[in-house]
Amino acid sequence: MVLEATMICIDNSEWMRNGDYSPSRFQALSDAVNLICGAKTQSNPENTVGILTVAGKGVRVLVTPTSDLGKILACMHGLEIGGEVNLVAGIQVAQLALKHRQNKKQKQRIIVFVGSPIKHDKKVLEMIGRKLKKNNVALDIVDFGEEGDGKAEKLEALLAAVNSNDTSHIVHVPPGPSALSDVLINTPIFTGDGEGGIGFAAAAAAAAADGVSGFEFGVDPNLDPELALALRVSMEEERARQEAAAKKAAEEAAKQEKAGEQRSSSQDATMTENNSVSAPDADNKKNELMNEENSLLQQALAMSMDGPGSSHDVRDMDMSEATMDDPKLALALQLPMQGSARDSSSQMDISKLLANQSFVSSILASLPGVDPNNPSVKDLLASMESQSKPQEKKDDDKQRNEEK
């Protein structure tokens, strides 16, 4: 890679307002200068580029040779257009700037953009060329725009005077639909005598011709590294934020799903426990109901057995079983049987049973919550006994009459 310091002389005369180069001569020149600066700084990180204007009120150095591409490109904004070109003064100031470069190992090169007529004579230009050759300064000339007054011959003479071992070059760019930078891509002005810079220039020009940036975020990092870095950092922060938001949403969804599973499992466990607990209760209640129904059915059957159609043997068997289990209960069961079978001579009269105070007392003592010694109970028994005596006397008289 060639290590060199380059000064670019810009034509900012009144002729740069013409529109024969799209969109204008000065805008086409600015695009070509930007690409050249990028190609030079990319070919070698130690290369330096400076820019000066050769028209207007006078030659003005916009930036001295530097490797800061952002500083180089910023100086191109807001340039004034006007006046006439002073090519000789511009080349002399550029040579002086290169003479005071910091790195003396850098080769010296001047690039001149000429888009307006030249007022200097050929001899003056040849003298300037020989001086550049003596100081080992290479010269590249870009001829575009006006073609009259022997402009091309003067520039050729200048090149012949400065050229040494084909280190200097001239390019004539006629007006046309092609951009100025597109024409300069394949010239040694970009390649630097065939070494470095061609890749950058070709890619940038091709992207500009297609109307596509070709760079990440649409910004060339060589032209504006600070903007490209800011866009890249912003994109990385946005990507990290989106990933964090997606991760947080996934975690919340997982927590909700887990909570739902725990809730459903707890409900299932509760329902199972309730079923397991309520099943024995239901069985117990069912058994109790069945026992009550059986007891009621047995009582109903026992009462139905007291009817006229019931056999005497069955009643005797029931009475004997009841007597064996509980004599008091057997006596209590005999009461409804005697009331429903008064016509049978084998059964006792209920009035006689009620007249038996000891029998009634034993029955009342067997009942829960009844005290035979209660005065009210005693009065009731006395009244029943007094009522049963006349009835008993009447029955005895009736029986005597029947026997006579």
Side-chain angles (χ1 to χ4, degrees):
M1 294 184 293
V2 178
L3 177 62
E4 65 181 8
T6 305
M7 285 298 295
I8 300 177
C9 299
I10 296 176
D11 184 357
N12 60 331
S13 64
E14 194 68 30
W15 301 86
M16 293 296 103
R17 299 183 187 275
N18 293 350
D20 49 354
Y21 293 84
S22 179
S24 66
R25 290 186 182 181
F26 185 76
Q27 187 61 46
L29 181 149
S30 299
D31 295 340
V33 170
N34 292 338
L35 291 175
I36 290 174
C37 293
K40 295 294 183 180
T41 55
Q42 186 186 37
S43 62
N44 193 317
E46 296 184 5
N47 283 353
T48 58
V49 179
I51 297 177
L52 59 84
T53 58
V54 296
K57 295 181 180 181
V59 177
R60 184 164 67 99
V61 178
L62 301 179
V63 58
T64 57
T66 178
S67 58
D68 187 354
L69 182 60
K71 186 177 180 180
I72 297 170
L73 300 178
C75 71
M76 294 291 296
H77 298 285
L79 288 179
E80 296 181 359
I81 299 177
E84 296 181 355
V85 172
N86 190 349
L87 183 59
V88 174
I91 294 175
Q92 290 176 346
V93 173
Q95 180 183 0
L96 184 61
L98 292 175
K99 183 178 181 180
H100 294 283
R101 65 190 184 279
Q102 294 181 355
N103 189 356
K104 300 301 180 179
K105 294 182 179 180
Q106 292 176 330
K107 293 183 179 181
Q108 304 174 77
R109 182 177 295 273
I110 298 175
I111 301 177
V112 179
F113 285 84
V114 183
S116 58
I118 301 174
K119 63 180 182 179
H120 302 289
D121 296 334
K122 184 187 297 185
K123 293 181 179 180
V124 176
L125 295 177
E126 291 177 349
M127 183 180 64
I128 293 295
R130 289 193 293 269
K131 188 176 181 178
L132 293 176
K133 183 177 180 181
K134 181 180 179 181
N135 294 324
N136 295 323
V137 178
L139 179 65
D140 292 332
I141 303 173
V142 179
D143 179 20
F144 69 104
E146 300 301 322
E147 299 179 356
D149 298 333
K151 176 185 175 182
E153 297 178 1
K154 293 178 181 181
L155 294 177
E156 291 287 347
L158 174 60
L159 178 67
V162 72
N163 192 11
S164 175
N165 299 324
D166 293 332
T167 56
S168 299
H169 313 89
I170 186 171
V171 178
H172 300 281
V173 182
S178 300
L180 184 61
S181 58
D182 295 344
V183 178
L184 297 178
I185 286 175
N186 298 323
T187 63
I189 296 176
F190 273 97
T191 60
D193 294 331
E195 298 181 7
I198 183 62
F200 168 84
D210 295 338
V212 181
S213 172
F215 298 100
E216 187 179 11
F217 314 116
V219 177
D220 183 3
N222 295 288
L223 300 180
D224 198 343
E226 296 179 356
L227 178 60
L229 179 61
L231 292 174
R232 187 178 297 106
V233 171
S234 177
M235 180 62 70
E236 292 177 357
E237 292 179 353
E238 179 66 17
R239 187 181 296 109
R241 187 190 65 78
Q242 292 179 358
E243 291 178 356
K247 185 178 180 181
K248 184 177 180 180
E251 291 178 355
E252 291 180 356
K255 288 181 180 179
Q256 292 179 0
E257 184 178 359
K258 186 176 181 180
E261 292 178 356
Q262 291 179 355
R263 191 180 300 110
S264 61
S265 62
S266 61
Q267 290 179 357
D268 296 339
T270 304
M271 292 177 64
T272 305
E273 183 177 358
N274 293 335
N275 292 334
S276 62
V277 172
S278 60
D281 294 341
D283 295 338
N284 294 334
K285 292 180 180 179
K286 186 176 181 181
N287 293 333
E288 291 177 359
L289 292 175
M290 292 179 65
N291 294 333
E292 291 178 1
E293 291 178 357
N294 291 334
S295 62
L296 293 175
L297 182 59
Q298 291 176 3
Q299 292 179 6
L301 291 175
M303 294 177 66
S304 64
M305 291 171 65
D306 296 337
S310 302
S311 62
H312 181 68
D313 296 336
V314 174
R315 287 197 300 273
D316 291 341
M317 186 180 298
D318 293 338
M319 290 296 293
S320 62
E321 292 177 356
T323 303
M324 292 174 63
D325 295 337
D326 192 351
K328 295 180 180 180
L329 180 61
L331 292 175
L333 292 174
Q334 288 178 0
L335 290 175
M337 294 171 62
Q338 291 173 358
S340 63
R342 293 176 180 176
D343 297 337
S344 178
S345 60
S346 61
Q347 296 179 354
M348 297 177 60
D349 192 2
I350 187 172
S351 61
K352 293 181 180 181
L353 291 175
L354 294 175
N356 189 352
Q357 187 175 2
S358 61
F359 172 74
V360 175
S361 298
S362 63
I363 293 299
L364 293 175
S366 64
L367 296 175
V370 179
D371 187 8
N373 297 323
N374 194 347
S376 61
V377 176
K378 289 182 179 181
D379 294 340
L380 179 61
L381 292 177
S383 63
M384 291 175 63
E385 185 177 0
S386 62
Q387 290 177 3
S388 62
K389 285 183 179 181
Q391 184 66 29
E392 184 178 358
K393 184 176 180 181
K394 188 185 291 185
D395 292 340
D396 291 341
D397 294 340
K398 184 178 180 180
Q399 187 176 2
R400 291 194 192 96
N401 291 333
E402 289 178 357
E403 289 178 355
K404 290 179 180 183

